[in-house]
């Protein structure tokens, strides 16, 4: 647990945005202390958010290990973490075309849309296909290879979303 934003920035060796209160690097997780999280995030996160934030970062650690530390496309890994931690923002919806044309963050509610899309995939097709996506993420070098792998794992009817 990190005691202050200053310490957190020092550990990560950069100036972090106020909303960011957690980070995982392989098996190591850094989180601003739950008693200080509200102050250090300018009120964006509340003390009661801490367990969800911890679950989110734990899932990052797990998925990075399972993917041999290849964490692209970003929407998949953030979406899995949002989904597992139940940090949904249903008003975000999702845009499949935008998501599948992105290897990194995209404009809009990146975390909300990523979480909602992964939740949709999980509820409709189950966890095994998501695990396949993680397993083959190292082969996703660009949007073209991402889509090729995605449509090999998921049926064509998903194109009707």
């Amino acid at each position: 647990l990190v005691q202050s934003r200053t310490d957190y920035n020092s550990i990560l060796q950069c100036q972090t945005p106020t909303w960011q209160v957690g980070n995982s690097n392989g098996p190591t997780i850094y989180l601003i202390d739950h008693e200080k999280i509200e102050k250090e995030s300018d009120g964006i996160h509340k003390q009661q958010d801490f367990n969800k934030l911890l679950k989110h970062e734990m899932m990052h650690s797990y998925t990075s290990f399972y993917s041999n530390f290849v964490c692209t496309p970003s929407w998949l890994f953030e979406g899995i973490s949002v989904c597992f931690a139940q940090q949904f923002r249903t008003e975000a919806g999702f845009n499949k075309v935008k998501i599948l044309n992105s290897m990194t963050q995209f404009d809009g509610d990146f975390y909300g849309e990523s979480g909602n899309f992964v939740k949709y995939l999980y509820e409709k097709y189950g966890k095994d296909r998501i695990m396949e996506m993680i397993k083959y993420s190292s082969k996703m070098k660009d949007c073209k290879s991402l889509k090729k792998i995605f449509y090999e794992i998921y049926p064509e009817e998903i194109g009707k979303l």
Side-chain angles (χ1 to χ4, degrees), residues 37 43-54 87:
I37 204 164
I44 295 169
H45 296 289
K46 308 293 183 216
Q47 193 169 348
Q48 63 265 26
D49 296 337
F50 186 80
N51 286 343
K52 287 184 177 184
L53 294 164
L54 178 58
Q87 297 169 306

Side-chain angles (χ1 to χ4, degrees), residues 53-114:
L53 294 164
L54 178 58
K55 287 177 185 177
H56 183 108
E57 295 306 328
M58 287 172 64
M59 188 51 71
H60 278 312
S61 288
Y62 172 77
T63 54
S64 66
F65 175 77
Y66 190 75
S67 70
N68 291 316
F69 304 97
V70 175
C71 295
T72 54
S74 299
W75 63 262
L76 176 63
F77 291 91
E78 286 302 340
I80 290 169
S81 294
V82 166
C83 193
F84 179 76
Q86 297 183 353
Q87 297 169 306
F88 303 112
R89 293 194 286 271
T90 53
E91 70 279 0
F94 66 83
N95 179 325
K96 181 188 73 122
V97 173
K98 178 170 64 174
I99 291 171
L100 293 180
N101 281 307
S102 177
M103 293 297 290
T104 59
Q105 289 193 6
F106 49 76
D107 292 337
D109 188 351
F110 172 74
Y111 287 87
E113 285 192 58
S114 298

Side-chain angles (χ1 to χ4, degrees), residues 127-143:
K127 80 170 186 195
D128 291 342
R129 292 184 190 191
I130 291 173
M131 297 302 286
E132 279 188 74
M133 287 288 290
I134 297 168
K135 180 179 171 185
Y136 292 110
S137 62
S138 64
K139 297 180 187 315
M140 299 176 198
K141 304 294 184 196
D142 54 28
C143 291

Side-chain angles (χ1 to χ4, degrees), residues 14-50:
C14 66
Q15 187 68 32
T16 57
T18 356
W19 59 264
Q20 184 181 338
V21 293
N23 185 281
S24 63
N25 184 1
T28 305
I29 295 173
Y30 301 104
L31 273 172
I32 293 179
D33 188 294
H34 69 284
E35 293 179 358
K36 299 175 179 166
I37 204 164
E38 193 165 345
K39 174 184 174 272
E40 296 296 334
S41 70
D42 289 338
I44 295 169
H45 296 289
K46 308 293 183 216
Q47 193 169 348
Q48 63 265 26
D49 296 337
F50 186 80

